[in-house]
Amino acid sequence: DKKVPEISRMLTNLSRFMRISLTESNLTCPLESEIEHVRTYLEIFHVRYQGSFTYEISVDSNLLKIQVPQFILQPLVENSIMHGFGKHFINGFIHVAVSRQNDCLHFDIQDNGKGMSKEDFEHVLTSSEPSSRSGIKNINDRIRYVVSPDAFTGLEILESAVGLHIHFGIYLKRKQPWQTK
């Protein structure tokens, strides 16, 4: 009874998350929908883990109408929570940033979890064996499938003092398969 507002907020976010996940069947969506989806997911887990982690989402409002592949951020954030922080995390932090430099949309997902070596990351991306981190490979493959081959930089790890920093870019000016003639 003492946590009624938190339960109400969590149920609202859970229903929003399920609605987005189950009703959207497009390959792309406006960036604002992708951001709403990942924010809702983060809020659910923020309540679930009783504020053991915080998050920040940075995106220029001028980018929100740009079409991006759908469901690309939430699995990477999920990876931060499940693998980066694991079962015992305190003071975890996740930062999701989307920016534009010239004709490239840059996506950065950073956490202060336990991290992952570049070798392990490359193994996950190239392995045909299923693993608990196969979501990274699935996202990489899905983006490659949705955008034209020369418009996606591929997922990569950037140097980080702590945790994991995943980066990728999507070039906007290049014709995409979903764009009409």
Side-chain angles (χ1 to χ4, degrees):
D1 290 342
K2 296 176 185 176
K3 295 186 178 183
V4 171
E6 288 85 3
I7 292 170
S8 176
R9 185 177 60 170
M10 187 170 186
L11 287 173
T12 299
N13 282 319
L14 185 58
S15 66
R16 182 181 299 137
F17 181 81
M18 295 303 290
R19 179 184 47 79
I20 293 168
S21 297
L22 296 174
T23 61
E24 300 295 327
S25 61
N26 301 321
L27 293 176
T28 66
C29 67
L31 178 59
E32 68 185 330
S33 296
E34 186 67 12
I35 294 298
E36 177 189 357
H37 185 66
V38 77
R39 185 183 317 274
T40 301
Y41 181 84
L42 284 164
E43 275 298 311
I44 290 167
F45 276 85
H46 187 258
V47 172
R48 162 71 178 88
Y49 288 107
Q50 301 173 347
S52 295
F53 75 94
T54 56
Y55 68 89
E56 180 181 347
I57 299 175
S58 306
V59 60
D60 183 336
S61 62
N62 293 324
L63 305 176
L64 294 175
K65 300 299 180 196
I66 294 174
Q67 290 289 309
V68 298
Q70 192 171 33
F71 304 129
I72 57 175
L73 294 175
Q74 179 270 323
L76 296 172
V77 166
E78 179 179 349
N79 186 67
S80 289
I81 294 170
M82 299 302 171
H83 299 289
F85 301 143
K87 294 179 182 177
H88 311 285
F89 63 89
I90 296 174
N91 298 323
F93 180 70
I94 298 172
H95 183 225
V96 177
V98 184
S99 61
R100 182 175 183 169
Q101 219 174 7
N102 300 320
D103 69 338
C104 189
L105 204 56
H106 294 274
F107 295 83
D108 291 279
I109 300 86
Q110 294 176 268
D111 65 55
N112 65 348
K114 65 182 178 179
M116 180 181 209
S117 73
K118 285 190 179 199
E119 294 79 22
D120 287 346
F121 187 78
E122 288 302 319
H123 178 73
V124 168
L125 286 180
T126 58
S127 177
S128 59
E129 301 169 18
S131 79
S132 62
R133 292 193 176 217
S134 295
I136 293 173
K137 180 178 178 13
N138 292 342
I139 292 304
N140 195 63
D141 292 348
R142 183 166 357 127
I143 297 171
R144 256 189 227 297
Y145 174 78
V146 174
V147 304
S148 62
D150 65 337
F152 174 52
T153 63
L155 297 181
E156 63 179 320
I157 290 183
L158 298 183
E159 269 312 304
S160 181
V162 64
L164 184 63
H165 181 172
I166 294 179
H167 172 83
F168 64 94
I170 297 174
Y171 288 93
L172 301 173
K173 303 265 185 201
R174 299 179 184 169
K175 185 148 180 71
Q176 301 299 334
W178 71 79
Q179 295 170 329
T180 58
K181 295 181 181 181

